[in-house]
Amino acid sequence: MAFKPIVDRLSRSQAVIQAKMLRNRLVYKIFESRGRASGHLLAKQLLDASVSRVCITIAFNTPWVIDALTKAWEIQPPGMTLVVVDNSTKPEAREAIARICRIRGVPYLALPMRIEKHLSRSHGSAITWAFNNIVRHLKPELFGFIDHDCFPVAPFDIPSKLEDKAAYGKKFLPGENHIYKPKPGDRHWNLWAGFCFYRFSAVAGHQLNFEPRLNLGLDTGGANWALFYSELDADKDVAVALVRESPMTMAGVVGHHEFIDGAFFHLAGVSYPERPGYHHRTVEHREMLRDYVWNTYLGGPAGQTVSDF
C-alpha cells in the first residue's frame, strides 16, 4: 500500500502514457497483420452480395448472446446487414457461435486467437481490426458497430439517423479514473464503441482507432477523439442516441441495463463475470437474463444454445 501513491503518479506521467500507447500500437499492428486475408475475402463476399450498409458485432465467449442478437435482427432488422466478428478466447465458444451464424445465414469471421487481459483494449482492437481489414475494403455507404448484447427490439431504421450526418451513436463524456479527473473546460467526447455508426465518406480519410484513452477519461473508442471526433461539429454532424436506464433485479442482483433510442435493449457486461462489479453473475443469473430476453422480445423459449454461458 505504501507504494500506491508512487505507482499512481507514475501511471499519470505523460512519458509512461506515451510509452504504453506505443507498446499497444506495436502489439496491435502485429495482431492486425494476422488473418488479414480472411478480412479482405469477407469484404469481397459482402461487396459481391451488394451489401452497402453493414453493422459489425464483436462476439466474445457468449454464444447465447449471439443467438439472441441474430434472432432479434431477423425479427426487427434496423436497416443494416449484421456481420459477426468473433474475438472469443474459448474454442468451444467459437464453434457454437459459428454454428449459430450458419443457421441464421449471418456472415461470420473468426479473428486470430490472442491473449489480451485488458478487456476494453481487446474489444477496441478487435473493432479496429474489422475496420481496417473489412470496412476499408468494402467501402460501404454506411457502417457501424454494435455490442453483441445490444438487441433491436422495436422497429427502427439506423440509416435514417445518418441522413446529413457523419456519425450516429451513444455519446460518452469523460469519466474519472485512476489517471484522469474531468475538468469544467473539457470538450472531448467519443461515441461508445458498442453503438456507433458512420457515413463511410466522412471517415474514409481517417485512420480510426477504437481503443480506449484512459488518460482522457474515455473508454473503448476514445482514441477516435483525436483522430476524428475533434474535427466534427457535435451539434450538426452527429446524431446522438437517447439512452434510458432500465434497472432489473434477477436472482437478487440489480442489473443496470438500458434502452437506446427506445429500440435497442442493452444488457450490461454479460461476457465479463470476472470484471469488477460483474462477479456476482452466476450461471443462474445469466440463465434468467437469457430467458427474459427470449420471452420478452424474441417469442421465447430460448434458442439454439440454451446451455452455453
Side-chain angles (χ1 to χ4, degrees):
M1 293 298 292
F3 292 104
K4 189 176 186 302
I6 298 174
V7 172
D8 287 345
R9 282 197 298 273
L10 284 173
S11 66
R12 291 192 292 269
S13 160
Q14 284 301 311
V16 171
I17 290 170
Q18 291 299 320
K20 287 182 177 180
M21 288 173 61
L22 182 62
R23 175 204 64 190
N24 295 340
R25 192 62 186 161
L26 177 61
V27 170
Y28 169 74
K29 294 303 291 185
I30 295 171
F31 169 59
E32 185 196 318
S33 67
R34 298 170 58 207
R36 184 178 287 162
S38 63
H40 298 180
L41 176 60
L42 178 56
K44 183 179 184 306
Q45 291 169 344
L46 294 170
L47 185 63
D48 290 346
S50 299
V51 172
S52 63
R53 298 173 173 182
V54 63
C55 178
I56 295 173
T57 191
I58 305 298
F60 190 76
N61 291 336
T62 323
W64 76 265
V65 174
I66 296 299
D67 192 25
L69 176 62
T70 53
K71 182 63 177 179
W73 217 268
E74 283 183 356
I75 297 172
Q76 299 287 359
M80 303 185 84
T81 297
L82 181 67
V83 172
V84 174
V85 172
D86 200 345
N87 194 36
S88 298
T89 56
K90 301 174 182 177
E92 62 274 19
R94 291 188 173 218
E95 292 172 7
I97 291 167
R99 182 175 70 251
I100 292 163
C101 290
R102 285 195 301 271
I103 291 170
R104 297 255 160 75
V106 173
Y108 169 89
L109 182 147
L111 288 176
M113 278 283 196
R114 60 181 174 145
I115 297 175
E116 171 55 78
K117 293 183 179 179
H118 193 291
L119 297 174
S120 292
R121 189 160 58 241
S122 175
H123 187 202
S125 60
I127 294 176
T128 306
W129 190 103
F131 174 74
N132 286 322
N133 288 325
I134 301 173
V135 175
R136 277 197 172 281
H137 294 267
L138 176 60
K139 297 181 174 64
E141 175 197 8
L142 308 174
F143 74 96
F145 301 94
I146 195 167
D147 232 27
H148 64 166
D149 54 8
C150 190
F151 314 112
V153 297
F156 196 83
D157 184 60
I158 293 172
S160 68
K161 303 295 280 189
L162 282 162
E163 288 183 8
D164 302 319
K165 301 291 183 182
Y168 160 63
K170 177 183 173 181
K171 187 177 180 180
F172 264 96
L173 298 176
E176 184 172 351
N177 59 48
H178 64 291
I179 60 174
Y180 181 83
K181 182 174 292 188
K183 298 175 287 294
D186 286 341
R187 57 180 292 267
H188 54 280
W189 55 272
N190 70 295
L191 293 182
W192 174 47
F195 196 85
C196 56
F197 304 90
Y198 308 88
R199 188 167 295 280
F200 183 76
S201 59
V203 306
H206 297 76
Q207 189 63 46
L208 297 188
N209 181 346
F210 291 86
E211 291 185 355
R213 284 293 178 265
L214 296 185
N215 60 309
L216 295 177
L218 301 175
D219 204 348
T220 316
N224 283 323
W225 163 252
L227 300 172
F228 179 57
Y229 299 135
S230 60
E231 301 176 7
L232 301 179
D233 183 322
D235 295 322
K236 295 180 179 179
D237 299 329
V238 182
V240 177
L242 299 176
V243 179
R244 176 176 62 85
E245 280 203 2
S246 180
M248 294 162 46
T249 301
M250 292 186 179
V253 175
V254 178
H256 295 283
H257 312 302
E258 58 191 13
F259 277 95
I260 302 175
D261 267 344
F264 295 86
F265 178 60
H266 176 225
L267 287 173
V270 294
S271 290
Y272 309 126
E274 72 279 13
R275 180 182 261 180
Y278 296 109
H279 62 277
H280 51 254
R281 293 202 167 166
T282 61
V283 169
E284 178 191 11
H285 184 239
R286 295 195 292 277
E287 285 178 344
M288 293 177 75
L289 287 174
R290 177 207 62 196
D291 292 344
Y292 175 84
V293 170
W294 275 89
N295 291 328
T296 306
Y297 301 113
L298 307 180
Q304 303 293 333
T305 54
V306 294
S307 63
D308 291 315
F309 293 100

